[in-house]
């Protein structure tokens, strides 16, 4: 049986009305999918599973789609399936045709007019198939596998309003000071909450915050205890996430926290059980730590019991 994924836009509209947010979790393999879905089930929360172009390159779109389908088939919690940071129009088209709930077109590296032109085209393709579209205006900092920006360019509220009107995008990723990866701030976390308030007043679609990982101290400590070198890592503090929800964010993207959990889980076993070589015994505890970390995110987002 093929179960349709939940419509991302509907999830976000409901969240916006209920004054909570929904977690977007990046997935790259089976253990991450299972770990995150278990967290959602235990807390009765909706979630968005997302694949980046890097994840697709690593695991294959069909594999990741099938894993997410399997999860959606076997659970009562709403699961949306999303393409993160789509830049390759061929991949975006494939995702739309395959049955993703939503796709992101990331035109943050383009001029305002070029970003509008291509986002509009993606919206037309996607809406024909009932797929919703996330776009990005401004630039989120940091570097991941296929996603890179040297510096943050804050989103301008008036330009955001014009961008949404002219493209017809369903939700908008904005830049208010976060960056991708584990090194988000030097010294003090600095999110432009006043700018967020202004954007929320001028723009009438749900707002998305990328680079929203919290980089939990407990997980970093475990990874470091077993050999990781992570000095200088810094995430978005929970109070700032909660304030951002009050100021209008309804979707938070989390990848780094899951990577850290996976890393800390694997390191612990390798270091403490040098005779262990069964992948199930090495990856199983990492999957459990992913569930723990994802549950903490869901609690901060306020989506517990909103399934
Ligand atoms: O926002 C970026 C995500 O963390 C995906 O990163 O391109 O390394 O898969 P990736
Ligand atoms: P983090 O690196 O903070 O987890 O952000 C992930 C992200 O924005 C995915 O789109
Ligand atoms: Zn991102």
């Amino acid at each position: 049986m093929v179960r349709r994924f939940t419509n991302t836009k509907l999830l976000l509209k409901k969240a916006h009305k209920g004054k909570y947010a929904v977690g977007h979790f990046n997935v790259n393999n089976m253990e991450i999918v299972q770990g995150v879905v278990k967290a959602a089930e235990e807390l009765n929360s909706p979630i968005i599973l997302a694949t980046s172009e890097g994840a697709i390159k690593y695991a294959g779109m069909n594999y990741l789609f099938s894993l997410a389908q399997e999860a959606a088939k076997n659970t009562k919690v709403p699961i949306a399936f999303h393409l993160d940071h789509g830049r390759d129009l061929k991949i975006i088209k494939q995702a739309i045709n395959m049955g993703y709930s939503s796709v992101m077109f990331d035109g943050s590296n383009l001029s305002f007019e070029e970003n509008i032109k291509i986002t509009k085209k993606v919206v037309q393709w996607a809406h024909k198939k009932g797929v919703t579209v996330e776009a990005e205006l401004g630039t989120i900092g940091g570097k991941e596998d296929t996603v890179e920006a040297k510096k943050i360019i804050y989103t301008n509220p008036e330009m955001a309003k014009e961008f949404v009107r002219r493209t017809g995008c369903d939700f908008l990723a904005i830049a208010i000071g976060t960056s991708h990866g584990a090194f988000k701030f030097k010294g003090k976390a600095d999110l432009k909450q006043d700018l967020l308030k202004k954007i929320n007043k001028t723009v009438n679609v749900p707002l998305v915050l990328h680079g929203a990982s919290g980089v939990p101290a407990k997980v970093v400590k475990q990874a470091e205890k077993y050999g990781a070198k992570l000095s200088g890592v810094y995430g978005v503090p929970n109070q700032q996430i909660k304030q951002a929800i009050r100021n209008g964010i309804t979707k938070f993207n989390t990848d780094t926290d899951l990577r850290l959990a996976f890393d800390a889980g694997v390191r612990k076993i390798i270091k403490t059980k040098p005779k262990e070589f069964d992948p199930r015994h090495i990856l199983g505890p990492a999957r459990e730590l992913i569930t723990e970390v994802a549950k903490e995110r869901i609690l901060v987002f306020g989506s517990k019991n909103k399934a």
Side-chain angles (χ1 to χ4, degrees):
M1 181 195 81
V2 176
R3 195 190 123 175
R4 269 181 77 88
F5 294 114
T6 299
N7 182 316
T8 316
K9 189 181 179 177
L10 292 182
L11 274 192
L12 298 183
K13 279 198 145 178
K14 200 175 154 208
H16 192 71
K17 235 178 150 183
K19 297 189 175 9
Y20 61 93
V22 181
H24 149 139
F25 295 97
N26 283 79
V27 297
N28 295 280
N29 65 17
M30 183 190 77
E31 281 76 12
I32 304 175
V33 171
Q34 291 177 334
V36 170
V37 170
K38 189 162 181 236
E41 283 172 335
E42 287 183 8
L43 294 178
N44 193 31
S45 164
I47 44 161
I48 299 161
L49 298 178
T51 62
S52 66
E53 289 184 353
I56 289 168
K57 202 166 142 207
Y58 172 76
M61 192 186 266
N62 281 319
Y63 267 94
L64 294 170
F65 188 88
S66 302
L67 286 170
Q69 267 287 311
E70 201 52 32
K73 245 195 288 176
N74 292 302
T75 186
K76 285 202 172 68
V77 298
I79 295 183
F81 193 53
H82 177 73
L83 174 70
D84 192 25
H85 291 288
R87 281 195 170 157
D88 181 334
L89 296 182
K90 223 171 105 196
I91 292 181
I92 293 178
K93 270 192 177 162
Q94 266 173 9
I96 292 171
N97 291 330
M98 193 175 278
Y100 274 59
S101 315
S102 48
V103 293
M104 174 184 189
F105 171 66
D106 176 356
S108 60
N109 58 334
L110 305 174
S111 69
F112 184 62
E113 286 302 326
E114 196 62 16
N115 192 356
I116 289 182
K117 193 173 131 200
I118 306 181
T119 302
K120 207 170 149 183
K121 196 155 77 177
V122 170
V123 168
Q124 282 164 359
W125 296 338
H127 283 186
K128 266 193 207 138
K129 302 259 179 181
V131 173
T132 50
V133 177
E134 175 177 334
E136 177 173 330
L137 189 66
T139 308
I140 294 134
K143 182 179 176 337
E144 303 285 279
D145 205 0
T146 61
V147 181
E148 180 176 7
K150 297 244 160 9
K151 63 180 181 75
I152 297 167
I153 301 170
Y154 294 101
T155 305
N156 174 298
E158 286 308 318
M159 284 168 88
K161 184 179 176 183
E162 182 182 341
F163 183 88
V164 170
R165 180 179 57 78
R166 288 175 60 194
T167 60
C169 68
D170 300 285
F171 30 107
L172 184 69
I174 57 168
I176 57 165
T178 57
S179 50
H180 291 113
F183 301 86
K184 300 186 190 299
F185 307 101
K186 284 197 183 78
K188 192 170 166 280
D190 184 19
L191 255 64
K192 305 281 179 227
Q193 299 279 356
D194 286 341
L195 174 60
L196 168 58
K197 276 190 204 165
K198 276 189 199 143
I199 300 170
N200 192 38
K201 269 200 188 125
T202 53
V203 169
N204 61 359
V205 293
L207 299 176
V208 180
L209 192 63
H210 285 243
S213 273
V215 185
K218 198 181 120 198
V219 176
V220 170
K221 213 170 145 196
Q222 175 171 325
E224 284 183 320
K225 184 173 172 191
Y226 298 108
K229 296 267 181 282
L230 294 170
S231 90
V233 292
Y234 204 132
V236 182
N238 287 346
Q239 322 88 274
Q240 296 226 16
I241 294 281
K242 287 183 179 163
Q243 198 182 346
I245 296 172
R246 290 195 293 277
N247 291 336
I249 296 289
T250 42
K251 173 176 177 280
F252 286 97
N253 290 14
T254 299
D255 188 348
T256 295
D257 286 354
L258 306 178
R259 294 178 181 194
L260 288 169
F262 201 90
D263 179 67
V266 168
R267 279 181 192 278
K268 185 176 174 185
I269 298 294
I270 302 273
K271 201 83 180 174
T272 57
K273 296 192 175 158
K275 289 190 177 152
E276 185 57 76
F277 59 85
D278 182 335
R280 295 166 298 189
H281 298 159
I282 296 170
L283 300 184
R287 181 171 62 182
E288 279 168 27
L289 199 50
I290 284 191
T291 300
E292 218 180 283
V293 165
K295 277 172 86 171
E296 278 161 24
R297 303 304 290 154
I298 288 170
L299 291 174
V300 177
F301 301 150
S303 64
K304 181 183 173 188
N305 287 331
K306 306 289 185 191

